[in-house]
Amino acid sequence: MITRMSEEESRALLRAGRLARLGCVADGGPYVVPVNYVFDGEFVFSHSLPGRKVDAMRAFPRVCLQVDELRDEARWQSVIVFGTFEELEGRAERERALGLLLSLFPRLTPVESLIAADAGAPAPVVYRVRVERVTGIREG
Amino acid sequence: MITRMSEEESRALLRAGRLARLGCVADGGPYVVPVNYVFDGEFVFSHSLPGRKVDAMRAFPRVCLQVDELRDEARWQSVIVFGTFEELEGRAERERALGLLLSLFPRLTPVESLIAADAGAPAPVVYRVRVERVTGIREG
């Protein structure tokens, strides 16, 4: 029996999660990639090397994030977030976001870490998703 | 170190997988949901109750499937399939696809099983994705 989760339950799952599947529209079609993220209650923060995903979100900032917790086939929860991509370009906001991400993902490689500021590496894109709507369903 | 997977490796992961994140375009924006599937080497088969996802794919059949195998943060593989939604409407092709799905997911509830043919339940939509391109990356 699949039931709808309340917005509060959906947001709690989003806050507990670390891995989302990010959906965006690239070259006019859907594009889905796994991303690590942090949700601070208002925004979902993430970062990326430059590439197709970032190009897509800059061109078309409507995005979707799907996060789930799967215990087994009969017991799972899944939430979907609809929101808008916002690139962080100011030094202070980039550092705050990267600090949040580094605190949860200490394994970020130097090339991914703005704080490491390797002059030869491409600068990572730091972004947030402004969360506009969260829905969730569960079974079990 | 993230490296590209060959097409053969990517297809092998797709064949081994059971759970994909399906991306489609709904109401002009991206929409991502988890789906169970079977890949027979040519098509990805799945099924769904009628709803937003099916409406979206009928209106705009370009879809994307993302499948991964995550051992830990440093060892993972992820593939992306680009393809086209095709609804199965003939009795024989629906039964073949549902048979494949039932053989892997015996827990399909009666409402989801065309074979059970509960007259009161909405008929499930049975579909396949024509696989046009598969790419993959891995780390570790």
Side-chain angles (χ1 to χ4, degrees), chain A residues 69-103:
Chain A
E69 187 185 280
L70 310 172
R71 292 174 64 185
D72 58 47
E73 253 188 74
R75 288 177 301 174
W76 51 266
Q77 306 180 72
S78 172
V79 303
I80 299 180
V81 173
F82 299 94
T84 305
F85 166 81
E86 296 179 348
E87 192 163 341
L88 301 182
E89 308 201 76
R91 184 186 175 97
E93 61 185 3
R94 283 171 66 87
E95 287 188 355
R96 177 175 169 265
L98 282 169
L100 276 173
L101 290 160
L102 282 165
S103 69

Side-chain angles (χ1 to χ4, degrees), chain A residues 21 28 60 66 68 107 139, chain B residues 21 28 60 68 107 139:
Chain A
R21 273 72 183 192
F60 187 86
Q66 187 265 328
D68 49 46
R107 220 192 116 266
E139 183 173 11
Chain B
R21 273 71 185 192
F60 187 88
D68 49 48
R107 222 194 113 263
E139 184 174 9

Side-chain angles (χ1 to χ4, degrees), chain B residues 30-107:
Chain B
Y31 186 56
V32 179
V33 287
V35 297
N36 285 124
Y37 75 93
V38 178
F39 176 52
D40 74 353
E42 186 181 4
F43 295 102
V44 171
F45 293 92
S46 192
H47 70 116
S48 172
L49 290 176
R52 186 172 187 192
K53 168 179 56 184
V54 169
D55 292 345
M57 295 191 293
R58 284 173 175 161
F60 187 88
R62 278 178 68 185
V63 301
C64 167
L65 292 156
Q66 186 266 328
V67 175
D68 49 48
E69 188 185 280
L70 309 172
R71 294 174 64 185
D72 56 47
E73 255 186 74
R75 287 179 300 176
W76 51 266
Q77 305 181 73
S78 173
V79 303
I80 300 181
V81 173
F82 298 93
T84 304
F85 166 83
E86 296 180 348
E87 191 163 342
L88 301 181
E89 309 200 74
R91 185 188 175 96
E93 59 183 6
R94 284 171 64 87
E95 286 187 356
R96 175 174 172 266
L98 282 169
L100 275 175
L101 290 160
L102 281 165
S103 69
L104 290 173
F105 305 106
R107 222 194 113 263

